[in-house]
Structures are given as structure tokens and as C-alpha cells.
Amino acid sequence: MSENDFQLDNQNAYDNIPHCLACQSESRHIPAMPPSGSTTPSGGPVLGGAEFVGSYPDPLVTLDPPLPEIALIGRSNVGKSSLLNALVGQPGLARVSGTPGKTTLLNAFRLPHLYLVDLPGYGFAVAGKAARVGYRKLVTGYLRERPTLAGVVWLLDVRRDPSPDDFTIQELLIESGRPVLAVLTKADKLSRTAGMDRAHALARMLGLDESQVQLVSSKTKLGVAELGESILATVGG
Ligand code: GDP
């Protein structure tokens, strides 16, 4: 086994992200996506009319027409497909609880003024080394270099503390300088007070401003309309 193999297998799955770059950057701050500014109660989708465009292995694939993009990223099973479906009000658009096999493809969905780009879920134990390397290339290439990327919606389960993989993604987000909104999924599993306590705690753990952390539930639609508004504000729609 080469030294590289050793490192790959013993650090987390995205360990070629050059942490030194993040360390050298002047600020470890993650910029925010604009808040929704909404005072209306949580409700259904404000985004709609989405259609699946395609699955791509190339992080720099050209989408036609060129439109700003919002990426969704999170660990496998965090509720990303469910949230995407809730956001656009189309229950069958993204597959829920599919086998986490398509680790090296990004899925693009076109809306009237933007693309939603579903990055594959991370952190599943069964993936082999080749899949992990492919994942790493796709996500690092996409977050670092994609010219049309306007913002990143980072999904974390409200009940879980961030995993080592989550912290690796955090480093990559810091390095990329992209505006980020962290959404805490499955908020229906906690009481309102417990959810707010977790939101404060997770914001602290992730070094995010409280306004960058939002509770969501695809089941009750809590926070879904606000997320849609924040996405539209980010792309200027
Ligand atoms: P993905 O792997 O991140 O795309 O996650 P999925 O959307 O497939 O969801 C994983 C599991 O979590 C499924 O069993 C969903 O039904 C469940 N789930 C997703 N969102 C919610 C939510 O807001 N509330 C609850 N209670 N369960 C959810």
C-alpha cells in the first residue's frame, strides 16, 4: 500500500482537500446567502416549474441556457431529495431514499430563473475508494471553480452533531468563499424550543452566524417558503 492509499483510507473521504488553503485564507468566515426577509408564516413552495435537466460527471459541464445555480449538499439520508421536492412542490422530482450509488454525478433541475444542482450525498460507509475519489473530484471542482454557482444550501440533520465529513465540507466551503445557508432538516422531529436550541448550538459548532442557519421540515413545510425566498434573493430573481 502506498502512502497515498494509507492516507485515503485513514482520513475521511475528502482528504485531498488542501486544508492548508483554508488555513492560509485571511478569514475563516463563510459568507451568507441573503435571508428571506419574510414575515409570513412558513408554508408551501415559492419555487416551481422545475424540470430535470440531466446527470453529469463533469463539475464544469455547461448548462444551456446559462443561469445562476444554487447547489444542495449534505450527507446521505439528510433529507436532500425530500427538501428539493418540497421546495419546488413536485413530490416525485428527486428520488427519496434511493440507494446511494450515484456518487459521482450532479443532478441539475431547471427553474424559470435558476438551476438547482443536487450534489451527491456524502458520508456513506459502503462506498469504495474509487467512488470516494470520484466524489471528491466532483465536489471540489464544482465548489471551487463553477463560474455560475451563486450559493450553497448545506443540509445538516437538526438532531445530529456535525460529522468529520461535515467538517471537511465546512473547510471546502470556507475555501470556496461561496455564500452558504445551512438548513437543519427534519425539524419536525423536535419541539419548537428544542429545534431552536439545536439551531443555536449548530451555528456555534459550525462557526456560522445565527442568520445563516434555518430550521426546515419537508414533512410540515416549516421553513420551506423562506428557503425558496432566500434562493430567489441569492440569484436576484
Ligand atoms: P437524501 O438521501 O438526503 O436525499 O434523503 P431523503 O430525502 O431520501 O430522506 C431520507 C429519509 O428521511 C427518508 O426516509 C425521508 O422520508 C426522511 N425525511 C426526509 N425529510 C424529512 C423531514 O423533513 N421529516 C421527517 N420526519 N423525515 C424526513
Side-chain angles (χ1 to χ4, degrees), residues 31-55:
M33 279 172 46
S36 69
S38 170
T39 52
T40 53
S42 298
V46 295
L47 307 177
E51 63 180 51
F52 177 64
V53 179
S55 299

Side-chain angles (χ1 to χ4, degrees), residues 76-82 96-97 186 188-189 217-219:
S76 199
N77 219 37
V78 72
K80 189 154 53 64
S81 308
S82 303
V96 174
S97 285
K186 310 189 188 181
D188 58 278
K189 300 236 187 195
S217 166
S218 304
K219 201 168 166 187

Side-chain angles (χ1 to χ4, degrees), residues 206-224:
L206 297 167
L208 296 171
D209 194 85
E210 304 250 328
S211 64
Q212 272 177 285
V213 174
Q214 185 179 321
L215 292 164
V216 294
S217 166
S218 304
K219 201 168 166 187
T220 65
K221 309 294 182 273
L222 173 79
V224 171

Side-chain angles (χ1 to χ4, degrees), residues 96-174:
V96 174
S97 285
T99 310
K102 293 264 168 47
T103 57
T104 56
L105 299 176
L106 51 85
N107 291 309
F109 299 88
R110 177 164 173 204
L111 284 81
H113 303 294
L114 70 143
Y115 292 104
L116 288 176
V117 175
D118 183 15
L119 297 172
Y122 53 82
F124 44 90
V126 292
K129 187 163 123 185
R132 286 158 41 189
V133 170
Y135 182 93
R136 198 169 59 205
K137 277 194 183 145
L138 181 75
V139 172
T140 55
Y142 184 87
L143 291 180
R144 278 182 190 160
E145 292 169 36
R146 186 104 186 138
T148 40
L149 179 58
V152 179
V153 177
W154 184 19
L155 291 85
L156 298 122
D157 188 318
V158 70
R159 300 161 301 168
R160 290 168 171 246
D161 286 346
S163 67
D165 290 329
D166 290 320
F167 283 120
T168 303
I169 293 296
Q170 177 194 34
E171 290 297 323
L172 183 52
L173 290 171
I174 292 169

